[in-house]
Amino acid sequence: MAAATATALESWQAAAPRKRRSAARRPRRREAAPRSPKAEFESDSGVVLRRIWEAEKDLFISDFWSSALETINRCLTKHLEQLKAPVGSLSDIFGNLHLDSLPDESDVAPDSIPRETLVTGTCHLKCVCYGIGNFATCIIARNQLTFLLLLLEKCQIPRSHCWVYDPLFSQLEIEVLNTLGVTVLSENEEGKRSIRGEPTIFYMLHCGTALYNNLLWSNWSVDALSKMVIVGNSFKGLEERLLARILQKNYPYIAKEKGAGAQSPALWYL
């Protein structure tokens, strides 16, 4: 009996713990080669550019774009009729614009931003854009940028004749805008830009009331106002939302604009 018990105990001896593999013998995971900051930046800018291109294609075939073209045509026509400008002035300048047709798809290179059509003749129309927002991360801001690019193309404004500024722009967004060919302003003008006799479109959607007031103040003359087009908020809407005394005190040039008559800038409310 004792011998059987001893045999049983020997068969139930605890197994010794397994030795762990040494770290040196373990297979190492392959680590991805670190990407340079430049490579990451180029990858990010490529993503943003692709999103802009996709947004542009969607806008291009939308009912909104077709409706916007009709609004632009109607606004310009009405403004020119009010001005009764002689041949060779504003009517001559805007007469070169072709806003009632879309570019042929065959003229648009695949997977790229549509190429601009350079201004022909003596037309030297310029464009200034304020407050477009962070288009790299915000869909609404990206759509606004997309509309601007199509507007430049339809008005035959070279992108090099377009100046853009927003204090919120990131370095990535500045680089993307440079790639698109527009000029990013280095300083905040606060809307105080004189057109200096050059017909100019100001693209400033949803900007602050003070910015509009500063723009009018900087161009408060018959000649300058008659050569300006503003794509932005309705001045009438601003007037309705503000008390008359506040408007007169803080934004006097918006208040004066009501009495400017035919010399007021053309306004597009999109």
Side-chain angles (χ1 to χ4, degrees), residues 10-32:
E10 287 177 3
S11 64
W12 283 93
Q13 286 181 353
R18 293 181 180 178
K19 293 183 179 180
R20 293 183 178 180
R21 284 185 174 183
S22 63
R25 295 179 61 187
R26 285 184 198 165
R28 293 184 178 180
R29 292 182 180 179
R30 288 188 175 183
E31 297 182 359

Side-chain angles (χ1 to χ4, degrees), residues 15-226:
R18 293 181 180 178
K19 293 183 179 180
R20 293 183 178 180
R21 284 185 174 183
S22 63
R25 295 179 61 187
R26 285 184 198 165
R28 293 184 178 180
R29 292 182 180 179
R30 288 188 175 183
E31 297 182 359
R35 299 174 64 188
S36 67
K38 181 179 180 181
E40 291 184 359
F41 191 88
E42 290 176 349
S43 175
D44 292 341
S45 63
V47 170
V48 176
L49 286 168
R50 186 175 67 253
R51 288 174 178 171
I52 292 172
W53 166 241
E54 291 171 351
E56 188 166 353
K57 288 194 294 185
D58 291 339
L59 176 61
F60 182 74
I61 62 176
S62 69
D63 292 337
F64 175 77
W65 176 242
S66 299
S67 175
L69 289 179
E70 293 177 4
T71 302
I72 292 169
N73 267 328
R74 186 169 60 252
C75 183
L76 284 176
T77 301
K78 181 179 178 181
H79 187 57
L80 294 174
E81 288 175 352
Q82 289 176 340
L83 283 173
K84 295 181 180 178
V87 175
S89 59
L90 189 63
S91 60
D92 184 36
I93 293 166
F94 284 113
N96 290 327
L97 305 185
H98 305 286
L99 303 173
D100 55 350
S101 62
L102 296 175
D104 189 344
E105 291 185 3
S106 62
D107 295 334
V108 180
D111 301 326
S112 64
I113 301 300
R115 297 181 62 179
E116 62 188 275
T117 303
L118 297 179
V119 175
T120 58
T122 58
C123 179
H124 300 289
L125 194 62
K126 299 183 182 301
C127 181
V128 178
C129 170
Y130 295 134
I132 206 168
N134 292 119
F135 58 86
T137 55
C138 176
I139 295 176
I140 295 176
R142 188 155 55 246
N143 288 336
Q144 291 176 355
L145 173 60
T146 295
F147 190 98
L148 173 64
L149 295 175
L150 284 178
L151 180 65
L152 293 176
E153 182 176 352
K154 296 309 297 180
C155 290
Q156 300 181 2
I157 303 175
R159 292 181 182 175
S160 59
H161 289 188
C162 178
W163 289 263
V164 184
Y165 182 81
D166 193 310
L168 300 178
F169 282 156
S170 65
Q171 187 59 39
L172 171 63
E173 288 166 331
I174 291 173
E175 290 295 332
V176 168
L177 290 169
N178 288 333
T179 300
L180 291 173
V182 300
T183 303
V184 182
L185 295 169
S186 59
E187 296 182 4
N188 188 353
E189 299 177 336
E190 298 179 343
K192 300 173 183 177
R193 170 180 278 254
S194 171
I195 67 169
R196 299 180 180 177
E198 299 176 308
T200 305
I201 293 176
F202 286 90
Y203 184 82
M204 41 197 302
L205 304 179
H206 313 305
C207 285
T209 308
L211 208 65
Y212 291 107
N213 189 75
N214 289 347
L215 180 61
L216 293 177
W217 169 77
S218 300
N219 296 280
W220 198 253
S221 70
V222 171
D223 180 66
L225 290 179
S226 66

